[in-house]
Amino acid sequence: MSGFIAKMMVILVAWNHGLYTLLFFTIFAAVAALYYYLGPIKTMYWSEPLDESPIRINRVTSGVLIVLMILLVLTGFWAQSMAILVDGATLAYNGVSSATAVVLARL
């Protein structure tokens, strides 16, 4: 959903500012991504399986997947607190010191 909203915002800004080249490439990329993602979905739902046996996942992989799912849910609930870290990282990447980044993030 976040990818859709980000693409929609880029499309709206490009349309409002007359950036038709950016608009074309954004829509082209979205259509190409849709085509790319529909292939596996078509295979999952409308093709016969090659192997009927269930997929086995070892304990380490299961543990990593569980931890990642928990982190995904938690970062969704506390997204605003994560914004300070993201803003600081973005400012630090652009050459601003970390102390200045913290001050600017609070503004």
Side-chain angles (χ1 to χ4, degrees):
M1 187 67 173
S2 63
F4 171 77
I5 292 173
K7 282 180 191 149
M8 181 59 74
M9 295 302 293
V10 169
I11 289 171
L12 290 174
V13 168
W15 181 267
N16 289 334
H17 287 89
L19 302 170
Y20 298 115
T21 305
L22 176 63
L23 185 66
F24 169 76
F25 282 113
T26 304
I27 292 174
F28 178 76
V31 170
L34 180 66
Y35 175 77
Y36 177 76
Y37 290 126
L38 283 180
I41 292 172
K42 183 183 120 207
T43 303
M44 284 189 303
Y45 290 109
W46 292 291
S47 297
E48 292 296 323
L50 300 176
D51 187 9
E52 294 284 336
S53 64
I55 299 172
R56 304 256 184 231
I57 299 176
N58 61 23
R59 290 181 188 259
V60 174
T61 305
S62 297
V64 168
L65 289 174
I66 289 169
V67 168
L68 289 175
M69 285 188 286
I70 291 169
L71 287 172
L72 180 67
V73 171
L74 291 177
T75 56
F77 282 120
W78 290 284
Q80 189 63 33
S81 62
M82 299 294 288
I84 295 171
L85 296 172
V86 173
D87 288 341
T90 305
L91 292 171
Y93 177 75
N94 289 329
V96 178
S97 69
S98 60
T100 308
V102 170
V103 171
L104 291 175
R106 291 184 182 168
L107 296 176

